[in-house]
Amino acid sequence: MKFLRVDMSAQTVKFEEPGEAYKLYGGRGLIAKILTEEVDPACDPLGPQNKLIICTGLLAGTSAPTSGRLSVGGKSPLTGTIKEANAGGTAGWMMSRLGLRAIIVENAAPGKCFILKVGSGTAQLLPGEAYAGLNNYELVARLQQAFGEKIGVISIGGAGERGYRNSTVQITNTEGYPSRAAARGGLGAVMGSKGLKAIVLEPGAAPVVTYHDREKFNSAVKSYVQGIKAHPVSGEAMPALGTAVLINIVNAMGALPTRNFSSGSFEGAEAISGERLAQLQAERGGKNGHACQPGCPIGCSNIYKDEKGEYLTSGFEYETIALNGANCGIASLDAIARIDRLCDDFGLDTMETGTTIAVCMEAGRIPFGDEKGVMALLQEMSDGTEFGKVLGQGTAATGKYLGVQRIPTVKGQSIAAYDPRALKGTGVTYATSPMGADHTCGNSILEQNVAPTQKEGQVEVSTNLQVGMATFDSLGLCIFSGFCTADPANIGHLVDMLASRFGGAWDVNKLFSIGIDTLAMEKKFNAAAGFSKTDNRLPRFMLTEPLPPSNSVFDIPDEELDKAIPF
Amino acid sequence: MQVYVKLYATFRLKYKDYDVPGGICLELPPGSTIADAMQALEIQPEKVSLLRKNEVITKDIHAALAEGDVLEVFPYVGGG
């Protein structure tokens, strides 16, 4: 698997063999390695010194389930920290079919617009002025018209072009819709700052992967797939009801962010639940149990159709629904789906958008529950009005602009859809992850031994989860495939996959050393960028303001937080 | 006595005409427990991740139920 380096200043491309030193780096770990070695942590994230890295994981190109995950990284313009955001879709799978581990976009062509077209052993920067200003759905349709329907596309919409710090990199799914997002941290703006509008991937051919022991690898994959399918979450709940299945239970736990994190319980939860979504889409001809990447045995994604039975959006997820629904006081799935569509199209992080809108509601700019008001604010972002540009800088910037005291962010990134006062393990992750508040870095929702509102034991819970998630993000596997690793036998199958793919002595410690090594590099980058332990804190209102209905506060002392991820 | 059981996620999918606001009305002998209600619905306790009785989280499946109690039963779910 090769690296493709793209110099946007010189407008040149170069394939290179990464060499032995990179053999055991993939996904999030590879991004951390390249950034710590090649990018000044103090650089301007939207300047030419930053690099945009798009890469696959260690198990990419193999038959390992969910191994087509795509990681996108760079220094974040939203947080100022290191950033890796990963997504499903077809692009990771296609990069493997083109023999690529990573595309590294360097320098910048400010004010210009290019399309990078990649084939098997070929890459070209093509003039992209004809595509400038297009949003993702029309952009992808036109690229498919020009280059064929089977291409994969990695692209930015207007938000990325405008330099919005809440902008995404969108990725096409198995239907060719740009509905999967490397959403967090404003990496769309990094891509826009380079002058790169889209990457077009040709379908390629079956990946060429060498194995130390192919038979053993296949056997481990087979056993691991059985483990995924036997687990009640990845084998039953998620295929049937998608990630939105969380709405009702998180609401029952009193942790569903409601009206800008002022309550953990939303009276309209059932109306926006996964159960309701599945029922509605069965009536309208939509789909649950949809695989966002080829060969996924889970299929937690969906195709969402509107009242007329026409396609509206896909990959319509829990976080989007909770943060644009309950957190904005909106109890209509159709209204939230329209927000999701607009965000995917324009290229906005749905999570950062939901929390930004809720902060506007708290400030009285529009009332909670005002669906039309939300669409008008999104239109302001799209139109690039002065206030729209403020919104595009994210929740922290908008909250400060409007004089809001209760701003739910850590390191400038919005908290996800679990109030940390009622799910404290996830709260430790929000506080201490090198990424800023990010649930995918270690979510304690399935923790059974440490009660969610108890303060003891959460640092250890979060640390273990953060190591596990950093490992999965480096393997390039979807973290949902990892629920089954609660059974040590399934960890054994993962170890066997790595041993039979790469050779050498592997055990569980070596497997998770991938995550530990990744976290250590990320912390090193952040320290050099000026971050310290005092940045590893939740918003102060969450320490003093009781969250109804549990009336819990986040009471884990700072000195305890400082013990998390000690690498 | 009558108690109401609200089911969520995959537990609910087993009932085609499930009544969303009301749940399932069970007729149980006086003194019945949460475990009895789950047994009546063929729900195995080890498949339950969260229980609420009258909107309060409980882990005690041997707690007695009273007339009109509302029980909420969740299987393991995840995602996000």
Side-chain angles (χ1 to χ4, degrees), chain A residues 291-344:
Chain A
C292 81
Q293 60 169 280
C296 173
I298 305 170
C300 70
S301 187
N302 52 25
I303 302 282
Y304 191 96
K305 294 195 171 176
D306 67 12
E307 302 93 326
K308 295 174 187 163
E310 289 171 7
Y311 173 86
L312 179 56
T313 192
S314 48
F316 187 38
E317 307 282 355
Y318 166 74
E319 307 293 332
T320 302
I321 295 169
L323 292 173
N324 294 277
N327 198 45
C328 291
I330 293 174
S332 159
L333 276 173
D334 285 335
I336 308 164
R338 284 190 285 274
I339 294 168
D340 183 59
R341 168 62 183 258
L342 207 154
C343 286
D344 284 349

Side-chain angles (χ1 to χ4, degrees), chain A residues 232-233 236-238 240-241 243 245-246 248-249 252-253 270 275 318-319 418 439 443 446 448 480 483, chain B residues 7-10 12-13 18 20-21 47-50 52 55 57 59 72 74-80:
Chain A
V233 177
E236 293 177 44
M238 296 187 85
L241 297 160
T243 60
V245 71
L246 283 172
N248 273 327
I249 193 167
M253 292 169 70
E270 183 65 48
E275 292 89 329
Y318 166 74
E319 307 293 332
Y418 316 83
H439 67 293
N443 188 357
L446 279 175
Q448 287 295 304
F480 299 160
F483 293 134
Chain B
L7 300 175
Y8 292 91
T10 45
R12 187 185 293 181
L13 297 179
Y18 180 83
V20 171
K47 293 196 170 175
V48 174
S49 72
L50 184 79
R52 293 208 310 175
E55 299 192 355
I57 294 171
K59 289 199 168 210
E72 293 173 272
F74 294 84
Y76 285 92
V77 298

